[in-house]
Amino acid sequence: MEIRARAPGKIILAGEHAVVHGSAAVAAAIDLYTQSSLHLPLPGEDGAGEVEVDLTDSGLAFSWPCSRLLEALGETCRKAELQAPRPCSPEELAAIARLVELHEIPEAKIWLSAGLSAFLYLYTSILGCRPGKVVVSSGLPMGAGLGSSAAFSVSLSGALLMAAGVVCAEGAVAGTEWQLLGKDHLELVNTWAFQGEKIIHGKPSGIDNAVSTFGSMIKFKKGELTNLKSGNPVKMLITDTRVGRNTKALVAGVSERASRHPDAMASVFHAVDTISEELSSIVELAATDEIAMTSKEEKLAELMEMNQGLLQCMGVSHSSIETVLRSTLKYNLVSKLTGAGGGGCVLTLIPTLLSKLVLEKVTTELESHGFRCFKVEVGGQGLQLHQG
């Protein structure tokens, strides 16, 4: 039996950093996915008696004998209460870490350890010690602020919960083999994925896994999520600068600046909040003709430009980001960083009337700097599954 699940990455359209200080932020799914394929031996088939995970993008595979998992995790390695995910206890996390340490992970990919721990927690909590193999592949760059870890947790949780018979598809994505889950089942997947995200990140906001699960766009403010319905397709060019950054250090830097200049930074955060609220309203407007669409896109571009200026005030831009801004401005296109800043990815709004030739020129120039570019549609479907 094979179950495949794919979950999208995400971008932050407005509000990063300021959201930590009470402002609204707007996040959206993009049509770049992480896919988890779960292969389970049928009753009577010969199985290796192992739980395996093949990370195709990293060229690495890991496996654990089911007997070893049961010995290490004891009762926690038996099927849990699937409708009420429990947090991973410190004792269980320590036991899982020892299981991960049985494998030699290359130093350059040591960050995989947290993902493997989340994998073992989710697999054993949902399926117990049943033998199986998971193959993971992704169109998302890792560690670039596009929600790759959340897409991994969501796609894995969806596949495992379907295998356990707890969730099932309720509708199809037109013209594809993929199927969708109902709201209640998506809520359950999201809750499990959030537990995986906590193992990977410690104290995640929950935004990334929510967007990856439900798709579309959301407004997030002070812990409250509001679903937004995009009235028209929005297209972006994502530029991955390939510059790594320390998210915790960048967040701390903004907080330190706010403590040094409390009044000025309070005004910055208030301005970002206003931008996020206005952007939320604009994306839900339905433009019925070319003139209305152009007007809508111009307003979105202005808000993105203002938000980028405020992010520069917060001190989270970077020379690589500024290079993208200058390159796209030559073609009258507006860009802003997305996520933590300090490198990472930059968004460029692609107007509906932009010619393919101009887009090719922009992309070529950006790639000449060593950057990677992805053209995406914003606000699409969330988790999708296929059983075969």
Side-chain angles (χ1 to χ4, degrees), residues 66-129:
C66 292
S67 58
R68 186 65 182 265
L69 293 176
L70 189 58
E71 176 187 345
L73 299 176
E75 289 302 313
T76 62
C77 196
R78 303 183 190 280
K79 190 178 289 187
E81 174 49 61
L82 299 185
Q83 298 292 344
R86 52 173 177 73
C88 186
S89 69
E91 296 77 17
E92 184 180 2
L93 189 57
I96 288 174
R98 288 191 291 272
L99 289 166
V100 172
E101 289 169 1
L102 293 173
H103 294 277
E104 291 187 9
I105 301 174
E107 187 65 31
K109 297 180 179 180
I110 197 64
W111 48 269
L112 287 173
S113 297
L116 290 173
S117 293
F119 166 79
L120 284 175
Y121 162 78
L122 291 170
Y123 191 103
T124 57
S125 295
I126 296 173
L127 291 184
C129 275

Side-chain angles (χ1 to χ4, degrees), residues 16 19-20 76 101 107-108 113 141 152 157 183 201 211 235 344:
E16 48 269 273
V19 70
V20 178
T76 62
E101 289 169 1
E107 187 65 31
S113 297
F152 166 70
S157 297
K183 184 175 183 297
H201 292 298
V211 174
K235 291 183 171 59

Side-chain angles (χ1 to χ4, degrees), residues 72 165 224 320:
E224 294 292 323
S320 62

